[in-house]
Amino acid sequence: MNRSFKFHLNNKVIFSILYLYFLITSFLIIPAGDDFFWWGKPGHYLLTHHFYGLDSSFGGSSNGRYLGNLLEILIMHSSIFAAIFYAGIITTFVWCLWYLTGRTRVSLIMALAFFITLQSGYIQSIFMWFAGFVNYLPPITLLLLYCIMFKKYIKTNYSLPAAFFFLMSFIGGLFVEHMTLYQIFVGLLSIYFIKIWNKRKNNNLSKNIVYAYTLGAVSSAIFMFVNPAYYFSRNEYRKVSFSLDKYFESYVNTTHFWIITFNYFIITLICLSLIVIALKEVKSKRIQYFIIISAVFFIIYYLSVNLYLKLNCKINYINYQFFQVNHKLALIDGLFGILFYLFLIASTLLVLKNYDTYFYLFSTVALFIPFLFILSPIFIREYFSSFVFLYILGIIYVNKAIAIIDMTTLTHKIFKIIMSGIVLSYALVMFMMIANYQSNMNRVKDPDFLYTAKTLEHKVPYPAFVSQNDELMMQSPVYWHNRLNYKLNDYFYNGNYK
């Protein structure tokens, strides 16, 4: 067995184990909030009424996210389906991170580390909450899959049937609105790029697949936005502002913390990589000093400010917003956030000169810009797709830095050590989730909770791995009655669901 085949086989084993891990994880997730809404009578009503309802209590759940809503209902009614789907999407997502960034050992380590290095808000609102998971992870995963297939097509002229690409973008557009619209941009960009590529390389690549992808994206957008909820809703859930003051306020108070400050892990890796790249490859002393001094500053600043925020400020995990932060600190931190992005843009243009990285950089910015204009709903999960592209950019930077350092004799040992650390981290997460699951099953059997609907008295041991920090009001006695096989005399179907 040659070395390359052996490494490829090991990757298959790793991703198989990853799938099994998340398959088990799915059964340990504690539902909360909207999960019960979609499981219960309101979800059934929306399912049978084109996901549109006039009752203001439906809030943002009345929408055109047809596939996301349907999958949430299926997940809440079938733990087997939930496990298969949940594990499949996450494993595919991690595989895409690895594949898009060069399929190196560094790429594999970074892709596997994604789940264990995320800030708490992303873990709670996407990976540990079915209602968030079904709408935010599948569309970004499908977009990354398209990026992989498009790159493969450009390099080898290999192509699947055009109908496959139409279906991919049509499905990807039925989850969350900003990704639905971004798919159209990606499709138009693909058409333009194929045209330029054919002209420059004197090739004759067919535009069929990119036309099909774009048509699917447009079709899904039309299908989504014909839903009356976007035009005739009577609730105040969706608010959009056209005031510069509101944009500024949103950025200072909320946005920059989630898209920049709390992503200190990937920021630190990017800055360390830039220091190595500048020392080894940048010839201009001015540019070299600019990159190194700036990178060192941002490493020190973001590690320090995160330590300060953790020790001195409180975060409201229900709305994923600060409620105790000095305004001057937020203002200064917001300014440094802008400076960091300007530094990132300049550095990428200087040291990573290829279209792939330009697209990832652009996507990082383009996917959070819309949420400066939206006043509500604004939670951390809206910024997830932007963060994914920042993380991809980070992997590319780390790959480049490692490649120019002579670590031949140490690479295998370092790889083993880091992989061992990742395995231990995953094991620790599993331990905490099992402890949470057992604690939750014990507390929901409380007769006061089940029969008189009193609020639960205590949280699980590790609330950071439960949606909304395990807010006690977010648990439903009706759901647990059914799950524990208690008889309720048709309580649920007689309209008494809360």
Side-chain angles (χ1 to χ4, degrees):
M1 181 182 291
N2 63 55
R3 188 175 180 181
S4 61
F5 177 75
K6 188 174 182 180
F7 184 59
H8 180 66
L9 182 63
N10 287 340
N11 288 334
K12 285 186 176 181
V13 172
I14 289 171
F15 285 108
S16 297
I17 294 172
L18 189 70
Y19 179 85
L20 181 61
Y21 177 89
F22 283 109
L23 194 76
I24 297 170
T25 298
S26 172
F27 291 101
L28 302 174
I29 293 175
I30 300 171
D34 283 358
D35 289 334
F36 304 126
F37 174 97
W38 288 108
W39 167 82
K41 189 175 182 181
H44 181 266
Y45 177 88
L46 289 176
L47 176 64
T48 56
H49 290 79
H50 195 63
F51 292 106
Y52 172 64
L54 293 174
D55 193 328
S56 61
S57 66
F58 291 142
S61 298
S62 177
N63 56 45
R65 302 177 181 182
Y66 299 107
L67 195 52
N69 297 339
L70 178 60
L71 286 168
E72 166 72 344
I73 293 171
L74 290 173
I75 282 173
M76 289 305 296
H77 283 85
S78 172
S79 57
I80 300 299
F81 173 80
I84 295 171
F85 181 75
Y86 182 84
I89 292 295
I90 295 182
T91 304
T92 304
F93 171 76
V94 174
W95 179 85
C96 287
L97 294 181
W98 168 72
Y99 197 99
L100 273 175
T101 54
R103 292 176 285 175
T104 65
R105 287 186 171 186
V106 174
S107 298
L108 182 62
I109 287 171
M110 291 286 289
L112 292 172
F114 182 88
F115 177 69
I116 57 176
T117 57
L118 280 176
Q119 51 178 289
S120 179
Y122 287 135
I123 292 175
Q124 289 186 4
S125 62
I126 294 177
F127 290 92
M128 296 299 160
W129 190 38
F130 288 128
F133 170 82
V134 294
N135 282 307
Y136 287 90
L137 202 60
I140 188 65
T141 302
L142 287 170
L143 182 60
L144 296 183
L145 272 174
Y146 173 71
C147 292
I148 290 172
M149 293 178 182
F150 182 78
K151 287 177 67 176
K152 190 175 181 67
Y153 178 63
I154 287 291
K155 293 176 181 178
T156 66
N157 202 19
Y158 168 81
S159 177
L160 293 170
F164 176 85
F165 290 89
F166 175 89
L167 191 62
M168 177 188 290
S169 58
F170 186 80
I171 290 173
L174 299 178
F175 290 96
V176 64
E177 293 81 1
H178 70 289
M179 291 299 293
T180 302
L181 296 175
Y182 196 63
Q183 280 192 149
I184 299 175
F185 169 79
V186 172
L188 294 174
L189 184 64
S190 300
I191 293 172
Y192 174 76
F193 194 85
I194 286 287
K195 183 178 179 180
I196 297 299
W197 183 270
N198 282 341
K199 186 175 181 179
R200 288 184 179 178
K201 302 293 182 178
N202 197 26
N203 289 335
N204 191 30
L205 291 176
S206 172
K207 299 186 183 73
N208 288 344
I209 66 166
V210 291
Y211 282 145
Y213 183 85
T214 308
L215 180 61
V218 172
S219 300
S220 65
I222 293 171
F223 190 57
M224 169 180 276
F225 290 111
V226 294
N227 190 297
Y230 297 107
Y231 313 103
F232 305 113
S233 177
R234 297 178 182 177
N235 66 75
E236 295 296 318
Y237 186 77
R238 299 183 182 92
K239 291 183 181 179
V240 178
S241 173
F242 297 97
S243 166
L244 288 175
D245 291 341
K246 292 294 183 182
Y247 303 160
F248 179 77
E249 182 182 341
S250 175
Y251 173 78
V252 170
N253 294 335
T254 308
T255 305
H256 82 274
F257 286 110
W258 304 122
I259 63 173
I260 307 170
T261 308
F262 285 166
N263 297 324
Y264 62 90
F265 172 78
I266 197 64
I267 287 174
T268 300
L269 287 182
I270 288 173
C271 290
L272 287 173
S273 299
L274 276 168
I275 292 171
V276 173
I277 294 168
L279 287 172
K280 294 289 185 178
E281 290 197 344
V282 176
K283 296 180 180 179
S284 169
K285 288 297 180 182
R286 287 185 179 181
I287 295 176
Q288 191 180 75
Y289 291 151
F290 163 72
I291 292 176
I292 293 173
I293 293 171
S294 299
V296 170
F297 169 79
F298 284 120
I299 290 171
I300 295 172
Y301 173 75
Y302 280 113
L303 291 178
S304 301
V305 77
N306 273 277
L307 180 62
Y308 175 83
L309 291 172
K310 186 172 183 178
L311 295 176
N312 297 282
C313 300
K314 294 182 179 180
I315 302 172
N316 182 349
Y317 283 100
I318 306 306
N319 296 318
Y320 300 107
Q321 294 180 359
F322 281 104
F323 62 88
Q324 284 189 8
V325 174
N326 182 281
H327 182 68
K328 287 185 178 179
L329 173 62
L331 196 61
I332 293 171
D333 192 60
L335 174 61
F336 283 144
I338 294 173
L339 293 177
F340 172 74
Y341 258 96
L342 292 175
F343 167 66
L344 181 63
I345 291 168
S347 299
T348 302
L349 293 175
L350 288 169
V351 304
L352 297 179
K353 299 177 181 180
N354 62 72
Y355 290 115
D356 290 357
T357 52
Y358 296 162
F359 171 72
Y360 303 143
L361 177 63
F362 176 83
S363 297
T364 297
V365 177
L367 286 168
F368 76 71
I369 288 295
F371 299 106
L372 296 177
F373 312 125
I374 299 171
L375 299 183
S376 70
I378 288 295
F379 305 111
I380 186 174
R381 57 185 179 270
E382 277 82 11
Y383 305 115
F384 179 70
S385 53
S386 171
F387 172 74
V388 169
F389 282 105
L390 178 65
Y391 198 87
I392 289 173
L393 200 61
I395 299 176
I396 293 171
Y397 267 115
V398 174
N399 259 325
K400 185 173 179 65
I402 294 297
I404 61 178
I405 299 175
D406 186 12
M407 299 176 61
T408 309
T409 58
L410 297 176
T411 299
H412 188 64
K413 290 182 180 179
I414 293 173
F415 177 77
K416 278 188 172 183
I417 292 170
I418 297 176
M419 283 297 289
S420 297
I422 290 174
V423 169
L424 288 174
S425 298
Y426 270 88
L428 180 60
V429 171
M430 180 66 75
F431 168 80
M432 291 187 288
M433 291 192 68
I434 291 172
N436 281 349
Y437 177 82
Q438 291 174 338
S439 176
N440 180 67
M441 294 307 293
N442 289 331
R443 69 179 180 173
V444 297
K445 292 176 182 178
D446 186 342
D448 287 340
F449 172 71
L450 285 175
Y451 294 105
T452 60
K454 288 186 178 179
T455 305
L456 295 170
E457 295 183 357
H458 59 85
K459 293 188 176 185
V460 295
Y462 306 101
F465 290 90
V466 181
S467 172
Q468 301 179 63
N469 212 38
D470 194 32
E471 177 66 17
L472 299 176
M473 291 293 294
M474 293 296 170
Q475 289 300 314
S476 166
V478 181
Y479 170 83
W480 290 108
H481 263 291
N482 279 259
R483 181 160 172 175
L484 297 171
N485 295 318
Y486 288 97
K487 293 183 179 179
L488 286 176
N489 297 320
D490 295 323
Y491 179 95
F492 167 59
Y493 289 104
N494 286 332
N496 295 313
Y497 174 81
K498 293 183 180 181

